[in-house]
Amino acid sequence: MTSILFVCLGNICRSPLAEGIALNLKDKYDLNIEIDSAGTGHWHVGNPPCENSITVANNNHIDISHLRARLIKKEDENKFDYIVVMDENNYTDLIAMGFKNVYKIGNYGGFEGADVPDPYFFDGFEGFDKVFEMLDISVRDFMYKERLIS
């Protein structure tokens, strides 16, 4: 079974949104695929996604409220076929930890390698809409280009 792990810093904004989008595509295309998310930092372990991430997902008919933040583990490299990071810092951190199968989501969807901005540090809700839109486009393109959906 194919598996994807989405990774960001705290696992409460970007990576749970990406996970929710991918889970939605999994259901839509009836895929036999495992999807999860994790963070490189420990601050939010066990917490649900932040309120604005839950809201923007709900606004797009995706429920991520049941997800809980967790810390990435070295064993994840053997468990997941694709480890997909949100920004260059996540990429650098995972490479430094010895991960090899790391993909940057900003390389998909026509974003030319751009980082997915961390909306946790934005003022207001508008940044979450923009992050969701970027992730929706790039996750779909990633899954298409990696031949997980057609």
Side-chain angles (χ1 to χ4, degrees):
M1 175 186 337
T2 302
S3 55
I4 306 169
L5 179 66
F6 293 99
V7 179
C8 69
L9 182 60
N11 194 211
I12 61 165
C13 295
R14 298 171 292 171
S15 56
L17 284 172
E19 179 182 359
I21 291 165
L23 287 169
N24 191 48
L25 292 169
K26 173 186 175 176
D27 291 345
K28 179 179 179 179
Y29 290 97
D30 193 30
L31 303 174
N32 184 20
I33 186 171
E34 181 180 353
I35 300 165
D36 197 1
S37 64
T40 59
H42 66 279
W43 313 278
H44 303 291
V45 170
N47 292 339
C50 71
E51 205 53 46
N52 283 340
S53 289
I54 292 171
T55 299
V56 76
N58 282 335
N59 290 349
N60 288 278
H61 313 289
I62 297 172
D63 180 15
I64 62 169
S65 63
H66 62 284
L67 302 178
R68 294 296 176 264
R70 74 172 185 88
L71 192 59
I72 191 164
K73 303 173 287 203
K74 184 60 180 153
E75 305 87 68
D76 288 328
E77 181 174 31
N78 297 322
K79 184 176 179 183
F80 292 94
D81 300 305
Y82 301 95
I83 298 176
V84 183
V85 300
M86 301 296 122
D87 63 34
E88 194 63 32
N89 288 334
N90 305 143
Y91 183 85
T92 302
D93 288 345
L94 293 187
I95 295 301
M97 291 173 66
F99 285 84
K100 293 176 183 53
N101 54 337
V102 182
Y103 299 75
K104 187 176 172 190
I105 197 66
N107 290 330
Y108 297 86
F111 292 103
E112 301 177 9
D115 287 347
V116 177
D118 191 341
Y120 187 74
F121 300 105
F122 291 176
D123 286 332
F125 184 76
E126 182 180 328
F128 284 85
D129 280 333
K130 291 179 179 171
V131 165
F132 183 90
E133 181 180 341
M134 182 179 185
L135 285 171
D136 190 43
I137 292 166
S138 56
V139 168
R140 287 173 188 275
D141 190 49
F142 169 80
M143 291 179 76
Y144 174 77
K145 287 184 175 163
E146 297 302 325
R147 298 186 175 153
L148 304 174
I149 60 173
S150 53

